[in-house]
Amino acid sequence: MIGSTIEIDLACLRHNFSKVRELVGQSAAVLAVVKSDAYGHGMVPVARELEYQGVEYFGVSNCREAVTLRQGGVRSPILLLLGVEEDELDYVIQYSLTPVIFRSDVAKAISASAVAAATKIPVHLKIDTGMGRLGVPYVEAESFFELISSLEGIRVEGILSHFAAADEHDKSFSKQQLQRFHQVLTLADNIGLTFRYAHIANSAGVIDLPDSYLQLVRPGLMLYGGPPSQELHHPINLEPVMTLKT
Ligand SMILES: *Cc1c(COP(=O)(O)O)cnc(C)c1O
């Protein structure tokens, strides 16, 4: 045989998803992260298989990926993990996408677009509990909540944060992040803001931090068979979805 081929085994994908379900049970929904073309595995066939298996939500990096999923026939809700730009809001409405938001200017633009289209746009609020990247710093969460609550046309469906180091053996920082996240949830509750989905767990959280499941988990790597690191506390049997044949 000349050259090499990559084989994607959907049975392995089903196996890995069943491991996620086994761990989190029925109380938490599963958002499958299929960004970066499902980590190179082909986002449309992967998402369609997972949708058939009962995954409740999909996560992608940007609008372009989300439109690819919709055009490929995926009907489930899709979260735009990195947020949106103002010039993408027509797509958000047209394709029923759910942006993550963490900037007040974008929140205001979403509100204006929704009102103009006589609709409501669902959003998830992103809180930075220590990652130091995207998100409203947790100490500024309250004023962001107040702004969001004052805007028309926005339906707050979720709130999320991201673990910085859940794949490390030492879980103390992750536990601190989880604690800060709970403080932020209490704060929101005090001003009457509630969420259908609060979520923070990536693959490492799913495998090692059952306390982090909340109402939704966001596995990526583990669905494709990659253990998030060699430092996990709990052994797990995952199957690589991709094989290279030469
Ligand atoms: C990529 C990503 C994930 C998935 O992380 P894995 O370590 O691959 O499980 C979860 N949440 C967000 C916000 C991400 O960007």
Side-chain angles (χ1 to χ4, degrees), residues 54-66:
V55 159
E56 286 90 350
Y57 226 118
F58 291 98
V60 297
S61 295
N62 53 46
C63 229
R64 192 175 39 77
E65 291 181 337

Side-chain angles (χ1 to χ4, degrees), residues 33 35 39 81-82 126 160 162 201-204 218-222 228:
V33 178
K35 65 190 179 194
Y39 295 50
L81 296 168
L82 299 181
K126 178 138 192 193
L160 70 153
H162 195 59
N202 54 3
S203 294
R218 303 192 308 265
L221 214 47
M222 69 181 293

Side-chain angles (χ1 to χ4, degrees), residues 80-222:
L80 303 169
L81 296 168
L82 299 181
V84 273
E85 301 296 330
E86 292 185 23
D87 61 5
E88 295 171 325
L89 293 175
D90 289 344
Y91 291 107
V92 167
I93 295 173
Q94 184 186 346
Y95 291 98
S96 301
L97 310 177
T98 309
V100 160
I101 62 174
F102 43 86
R103 277 171 38 186
S104 21
D105 57 339
V106 175
K108 287 173 191 159
I110 289 178
S111 168
S113 289
V115 169
T119 186
K120 283 193 185 272
I121 297 180
V123 300
H124 289 212
L125 313 181
K126 178 138 192 193
I127 305 296
D128 180 2
T129 53
M131 183 88 177
R133 290 208 316 222
L134 296 183
V136 177
Y138 67 100
V139 289
E140 293 166 21
E142 191 161 10
S143 52
F144 192 65
F145 291 158
E146 275 159 6
L147 168 74
I148 296 297
S149 305
S150 75
L151 294 174
E152 283 175 68
I154 288 186
R155 181 166 66 79
V156 181
E157 180 190 64
I159 184 166
L160 70 153
S161 190
H162 195 59
F163 280 134
D167 54 342
E168 287 175 10
H169 187 77
D170 180 357
K171 301 293 182 211
S172 48
F173 190 64
S174 298
K175 287 181 177 162
Q176 190 180 16
Q177 283 192 275
L178 188 56
Q179 197 180 7
R180 287 172 183 163
F181 195 46
H182 277 295
Q183 284 164 6
V184 166
L185 292 176
T186 304
L187 213 84
D189 200 42
N190 289 344
I191 62 169
L193 194 57
T194 55
F195 310 97
R196 176 171 181 196
Y197 297 118
H199 47 114
I200 188 167
N202 54 3
S203 294
V206 168
I207 296 168
D208 263 1
L209 294 161
D211 285 350
S212 72
Y213 295 168
L214 309 175
Q215 292 85 45
L216 182 82
V217 296
R218 303 192 308 265
L221 214 47
M222 69 181 293

Side-chain angles (χ1 to χ4, degrees), residues 24-47:
V24 307
Q26 291 300 326
S27 61
V30 177
L31 176 151
V33 178
V34 294
K35 65 190 179 194
S36 311
D37 201 25
Y39 295 50
H41 293 71
M43 72 191 314
V44 169
V46 162

